[in-house]
Every structure is written in C-alpha cells, then in structure tokens.
C-alpha cells in the first residue's frame, strides 16, 4: 500500500531563513508526486508537481522540490521564507496512470516569525 | 473559469442524522474525487467517480456513499453520523489519469 511520511509536524522559522521539509513515500511503482499548501482559511493549492523528467521541480512562490528516486524522497525547499509562507504543507503521491487517488502525508505546519 | 465549488460551506448535524454534500467540478473535468480531512491530519481519499461510475473507494464504512450526475457534479452522502465524522470534506476534480487535481474549498461538517 502507498504511504507518505512527512518528517516534521511543526516548523518555526524566522523570515529570510532557508526551508527544507522532508517527505518520503512508499510505493513500488511509478508515481506522480505533489506538494500542496493550505493557507489559513483557504483551500488546498498545488505548489508543485513531479510527473517525469528533470527531478528538480520548480513551483510557485519560489518553492522547489527534488525527487530522489533511490531514496523515495521528494523534499520541498525554499531559499528564503517570508511571513506569508505561514501555512500547512502536504506532500502527496499518486500512482501514475491510475485513478485520481492521492495519498497525503499528515502535513507540516510552518510558522514564520516576522 | 470557476474552480471546484462545494456546498454547503459549513453545517452542523446531530449524531445519527444524515448529510448530503454537493460538488461541481471545473468545466470539462469528468473525474470527481472526495476526501475527508480531520483536524491535524492530511486529506484521506473516500471515493472517485468518473463518467458516473465509481472508480475507487478508500477505507471508509458503507455509511459513506456518493454518486455522480450526467453533468459530472457529485454528491457525497453520510448516514448515521458519528462524532468522528466531524471533518472538512474536500471535493477534487480533474481530467482522468493522474493529471493535476484541483480541490474545492471544502464543506466543514460538525457532528454534535
């Protein structure tokens, strides 16, 4: 069965600090990988996705993620965070070319201090 | 273009009651999925429908059911509500096949 593990449940950083959120998945086949963000009071939004090709994926708002197949990892990074990045971040996986069932991690709550 | 729309946005029900949540997908999307997000957890897959047929079902009891209409909108029904059903229910739509999936803002259900 597929599963997603996010390493940090709650992260607190100061503005301008660098961010890395860890994500590992468990699945034997080919997958699509996603990071979603949920700002306070808002709906889930797609930050970035990996389907194939370059394992370094760039998303919106300066976020990027690197897919390392050998480590089953898809870590999210941002060189310099802003107060407006305060949100909950979800790593997710979907078995490629199958249905739309997405398996989400439990989320990482990110709090940026001004 | 409108995104995925869900109704109602908030509702309160009593244990044992039944609830129906509604979802309209993005225009052109034929696949609709439902997720449950309990506070402090990631969303969990409940159902997927495509062309009015169930394509996938998560690990939820039979009290949960859904259907998709000819216009691709969908309803999620939950019978015999339990306190533990209190959650944000998310609807998502896509073109079928692992392409980008778009989420609605959700329906907050509180069971008292």
């Amino acid at each position: 069965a597929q599963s997603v593990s996010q390493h940090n449940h709650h992260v607190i950083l100061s503005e301008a600090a660098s961010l890395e959120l860890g994500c590992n998945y468990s699945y034997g086949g080919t997958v699509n990988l996603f990071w979603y963000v949920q700002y306070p009071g808002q709906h889930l939004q797609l930050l970035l996705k990996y389907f194939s090709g370059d394992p370094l994926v760039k998303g919106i708002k300066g976020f990027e993620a690197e897919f390392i197949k050998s480590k089953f990892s898809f870590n999210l990074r941002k060189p310099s965070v802003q107060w407006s990045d305060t949100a909950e971040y979800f790593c997710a996986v979907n078995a490629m070319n199958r249905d739309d069932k997405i398996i989400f991690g439990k989320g990482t709550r990110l709090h940026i201090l001004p | 273009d409108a995104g995925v729309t869900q109704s109602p946005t908030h509702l309160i029900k009593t244990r044992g009651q039944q609830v129906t949540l509604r979802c309209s997908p993005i225009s052109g999307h034929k696949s609709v999925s439902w997720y449950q997000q309990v506070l402090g957890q990631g969303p969990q897959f409940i159902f997927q429908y495509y062309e009015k047929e169930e394509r996938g079902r998560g690990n939820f009891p039979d009290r949960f059911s859904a259907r998709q209409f000819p216009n691709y909108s969908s309803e999620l029904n939950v019978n015999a509500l339990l306190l533990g059903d209190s959650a944000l229910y998310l609807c998502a739509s896509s073109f079928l096949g692992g392409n980008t999936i778009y989420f609605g803002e959700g329906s907050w259900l509180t069971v008292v």
Side-chain angles (χ1 to χ4, degrees), chain B residues 1-5 24-30 72 93-95 102-103:
Chain B
D1 280 345
V4 178
T5 57
S24 292
I26 291 172
S27 177
H29 286 185
K30 298 182 179 181
Y72 305 111
S93 76
S94 75
F95 298 108
Y102 296 87
F103 285 85

Side-chain angles (χ1 to χ4, degrees), chain B residues 6-11 21-22 34 87-91 105-109:
Chain B
Q6 293 186 242
S7 63
T9 54
H10 294 82
L11 69 167
L21 307 177
R22 296 175 178 81
W34 287 94
L88 177 66
Y89 288 85
L90 296 166
C91 177
E105 295 197 8
S107 294
W108 279 103
L109 171 65

Side-chain angles (χ1 to χ4, degrees), chain A residues 36 38 49 51 99-100 102, chain B residues 31 35 37 48 94 98 100-101:
Chain A
Y36 282 88
Q38 194 169 31
K49 61 188 178 186
F51 285 177
D99 54 39
D100 287 347
I102 300 179
Chain B
S31 173
Y35 290 78
Q37 187 177 10
Q48 185 206 357
S94 75
T100 303
I101 295 164

Side-chain angles (χ1 to χ4, degrees), chain A residues 6-11 88 106-110:
Chain A
Q6 292 186 237
H7 306 164
N8 314 97
H9 296 299
H10 197 184
V11 173
E88 191 149 20
K106 291 187 175 182
T108 297
R109 187 159 293 183
L110 176 64

Side-chain angles (χ1 to χ4, degrees), chain A residues 10-64:
Chain A
H10 197 184
V11 173
I12 301 173
L13 294 172
S14 298
E15 274 193 310
S18 64
L19 170 72
E20 180 159 3
L21 301 182
C23 172
N24 287 91
Y25 69 93
S26 168
Y27 182 66
T30 306
V31 295
N32 300 317
L33 295 159
F34 308 87
W35 276 96
Y36 282 88
V37 61
Q38 194 169 31
Y39 297 102
Q42 296 189 26
H43 62 283
L44 276 172
Q45 298 175 41
L46 182 67
L47 262 184
L48 48 79
K49 61 188 178 186
Y50 173 80
F51 285 177
S52 64
D54 188 345
L56 185 61
V57 180
K58 294 194 182 301
I60 61 171
K61 305 188 182 188
F63 286 91
E64 65 178 30

